[in-house]
């Protein structure tokens, strides 16, 4: 039991250490906090530290504690990460940004649906739900993936396998772009960058603005973060109460959709948007979840069905990327805007600043963040809709 307690402490301590590393070392920023959290979890899994003899009291208790932490982390993270989003700003975005966003989402939808029909005879468990989660992760990132997995009741071991393959296949793509791959997209999409006119574009934006943990643990931001956390807890309580009222059970789908909707509404209030470090606090909960779910990865589970999950993920990345490129070519979207929209949708907004820094083009930073945050907002809805549509088919 002592080992279980130590692992649970690690689940919370490792995100703190990752955040401190992000603040201090450039190479940690380039790798990304979420990738590091996955890596830590997989190391824990491969080391056998999280393995307990099946059926024992320690194994059962530890499993329940893992499930509780995962069940709480995501619903708390969702509002916190959406509070600072200015949806009114998004409605004023450039047509090119909108074209890139719509083209990217449409490309992922086509890639996932076509992949579903290509691989549906491959005996992938809960394939329609896995497909829905891929819509979530490739329109809004890990937050939507986790939310969809929880709301659709996907087995945690399946989630761990999908996340492992997603990390293995997506990470090289990020390094390819940062290492100079964006120059290829500039050649394929040789169009001029167009930025919004107005005061906001004259503000010098630093490349660390999306995921900025500086001052997060200082007293001056404590009460603001506490207020944001209090709102998240309130929304979670409302979602839970609504789920009990409508379904008689703690229906996670109702809970997730409720807190997402309430968080979007709350983001229209200036005082809520100006709460300090709520995005970073939400990322802290996402990092906890990421470490836990990756620690559930079982290398022995990589059988034929699991390998097909990897093939399915690869199909989505390749088909979605090619289709998105074609759509952007038709709309004359610039190569740099295409690049940041790809990263924002495939990897989430925190991955946009390192790419922008590599391209040395701050003009597309705001557009990339906008695209990623819109994905945060709609990814869960798209995933739920697709899951029920595929189930009907």
């Amino acid at each position: 039991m002592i080992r279980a307690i130590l692992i649970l402490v690690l689940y919370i301590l490792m995100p703190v250490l990752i955040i401190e590393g992000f603040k201090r070392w450039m190479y940690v920023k380039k790798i990304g906090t979420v990738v590091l959290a996955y890596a830590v979890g997989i190391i824990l899994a491969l080391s056998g530290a999280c393995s307990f003899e099946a059926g024992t009291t320690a194994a059962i208790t530890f499993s329940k504690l893992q499930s509780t932490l995962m069940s709480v982390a995501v619903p708390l993270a969702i509002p916190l990460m959406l509070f600072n989003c200015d949806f009114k700003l998004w409605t004023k975005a450039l047509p090119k940004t909108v074209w890139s966003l719509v083209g990217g989402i449409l490309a992922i939808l086509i890639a996932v649906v076509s992949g579903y029909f290509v691989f549906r005879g491959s005996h992938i468990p809960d394939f329609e739900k896995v497909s829905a989660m891929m819509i979530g992760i490739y329109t809004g990132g890990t937050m939507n993936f986790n939310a969809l997995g929880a709301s659709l009741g996907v087995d945690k071991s399946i989630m761990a396998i999908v996340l492992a393959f997603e990390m293995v296949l997506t990470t090289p793509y990020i390094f390819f772009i940062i290492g100079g791959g964006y120059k290829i997209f500039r050649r394929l999409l040789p169009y001029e960058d167009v930025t919004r006119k107005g005061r906001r574009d004259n503000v010098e934006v630093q490349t660390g603005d999306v995921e900025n943990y500086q001052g997060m643990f200082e007293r001056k931001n404590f009460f603001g973060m506490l207020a944001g956390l209090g709102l998240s807890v309130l929304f979670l309580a409302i979602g839970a109460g609504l789920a009990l009222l409508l379904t008689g059970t703690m229906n996670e789908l109702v809970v997730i959709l409720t807190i997402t909707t309430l968080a979007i509404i709350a983001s229209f209030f200036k005082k809520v948007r100006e709460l300090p470090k709520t995005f970073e606090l939400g990322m802290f909960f996402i990092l906890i979840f990421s470490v836990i779910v990756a620690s559930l990865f079982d290398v022995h589970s990589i059988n034929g069905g699991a390998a097909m999950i990897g093939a399915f993920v690869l199909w989505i990345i390749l088909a979605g990327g090619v289709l998105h490129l074609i759509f952007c070519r038709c709309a004359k979207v610039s190569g740099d805007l295409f690049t940041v929209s790809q990263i924002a949708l495939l990897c989430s907004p925190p991955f946009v600043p390192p790419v922008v820094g590599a391209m040395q083009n701050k003009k597309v930073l705001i557009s990339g963040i906008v695209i990623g945050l819109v994905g945060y907002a709609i990814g869960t809805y798209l995933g739920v809709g697709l899951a029920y549509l595929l189930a009907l088919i």
Side-chain angles (χ1 to χ4, degrees):
M1 194 61 191
I2 294 177
R3 179 159 64 98
I5 294 173
L6 288 175
I7 295 169
L8 291 172
V9 171
L10 272 179
Y11 283 155
I12 298 173
L13 180 62
M14 289 312 300
V16 174
L17 295 178
I18 290 171
I19 288 171
E20 285 298 320
F22 184 91
K23 289 160 58 178
R24 296 170 185 268
W25 299 304
M26 183 59 64
Y27 70 86
V28 175
K29 290 184 179 181
K30 290 183 176 180
I31 295 172
T33 53
V34 175
V35 172
L36 282 175
Y38 289 160
V40 168
I42 289 176
I43 290 170
L44 285 174
L46 295 178
S47 70
C50 301
S51 299
F52 291 83
E53 186 178 348
T56 62
T57 302
I60 295 171
T61 302
F62 184 63
S63 179
K64 288 181 178 178
L65 289 172
Q66 282 180 317
S67 298
T68 300
L69 272 176
M70 288 189 292
S71 299
V72 171
V74 175
L76 289 179
I78 291 172
L80 287 166
M81 296 178 78
L82 290 176
F83 284 157
N84 291 150
C85 303
D86 191 345
F87 281 80
K88 289 181 290 186
L89 173 62
W90 297 352
T91 63
K92 302 174 184 177
L94 276 176
K96 297 296 183 184
T97 302
V98 175
W99 272 112
S100 189
L101 168 64
V102 173
I105 292 175
L106 184 59
I108 292 299
L109 280 169
I110 293 172
V112 171
V113 173
S114 62
Y116 174 81
F117 287 104
V118 170
F119 293 97
R120 66 175 176 173
S122 304
H123 307 292
I124 298 176
D126 291 330
F127 194 24
E128 69 279 358
K129 296 179 181 179
V130 171
S131 299
M133 289 193 299
M134 297 315 297
I135 286 288
I137 201 168
Y138 286 144
T139 54
T142 310
M143 180 180 73
N144 295 86
F145 176 89
N146 297 338
L148 285 164
S151 61
L152 296 173
V154 179
D155 185 88
K156 298 298 188 296
S157 63
I158 298 297
M159 291 179 65
I161 293 171
V162 176
L163 277 175
F165 278 117
E166 191 275 335
M167 182 180 71
V168 167
L169 294 171
T170 305
T171 301
Y173 183 55
I174 300 171
F175 290 145
F176 160 72
I177 289 179
I178 291 177
Y182 60 88
K183 296 177 183 178
I184 297 175
F185 298 136
R186 284 176 176 174
R187 288 182 176 272
L188 295 173
L189 300 167
Y191 305 110
E192 181 183 0
D193 280 320
V194 182
T195 54
R196 291 176 60 250
K197 305 292 183 183
R199 183 178 58 85
R200 286 182 178 269
D201 290 320
N202 296 325
V203 178
E204 187 71 12
V205 183
Q206 300 300 317
T207 57
D209 281 347
V210 178
E211 203 174 355
N212 183 4
Y213 296 103
Q214 296 296 335
M216 180 178 175
F217 300 119
E218 295 179 4
R219 180 180 295 181
K220 64 180 181 180
N221 294 320
F222 175 76
F223 290 105
M225 290 195 300
L226 187 63
L229 181 60
L231 273 178
S232 292
V233 172
L234 174 63
F235 292 168
L236 176 57
I238 293 173
L242 191 60
L244 289 172
L245 181 65
L246 295 177
T247 67
T249 62
M250 194 64 68
N251 187 296
E252 291 182 317
L253 174 59
V254 176
V255 174
I256 295 295
L257 292 180
T258 300
I259 62 177
T260 301
T261 303
L262 290 174
I264 291 173
I265 294 171
S267 73
F268 282 89
F269 294 90
K270 185 178 179 181
K271 287 187 177 180
V272 174
R273 285 200 308 275
E274 292 179 348
L275 289 174
K277 303 298 178 184
T278 56
F279 184 91
E280 287 75 13
L281 183 57
M283 281 297 299
F284 171 73
F285 286 111
I286 287 297
L287 294 178
I288 291 175
F289 183 95
S290 298
V291 172
I292 297 173
V293 78
S295 72
L296 298 174
F297 178 68
D298 181 6
V299 69
H300 301 294
S301 64
I302 304 297
N303 50 33
M308 294 311 295
I309 291 177
F312 178 54
V313 173
L314 182 61
W315 171 282
I316 295 170
I317 294 173
L318 294 178
V322 170
L323 286 171
H324 191 192
L325 184 65
I326 292 172
F327 293 152
C328 286
R329 176 82 184 187
C330 294
K332 295 185 178 182
V333 171
S334 72
D336 284 4
L337 181 53
F338 164 79
T339 301
V340 295
S341 60
Q342 269 274 290
I343 289 298
L345 292 172
L346 292 183
C347 308
S348 77
F351 289 89
V352 171
V355 173
V356 169
M359 295 190 302
Q360 297 184 358
N361 181 8
K362 294 179 180 179
K363 291 191 295 182
V364 296
L365 177 60
I366 294 176
S367 294
I369 295 170
V370 165
I371 288 170
L373 292 178
V374 171
Y376 271 151
I378 68 175
T380 304
Y381 299 103
L382 288 173
V384 170
L386 182 66
Y388 282 103
L389 179 62
L390 293 179
L392 290 175
I393 296 174

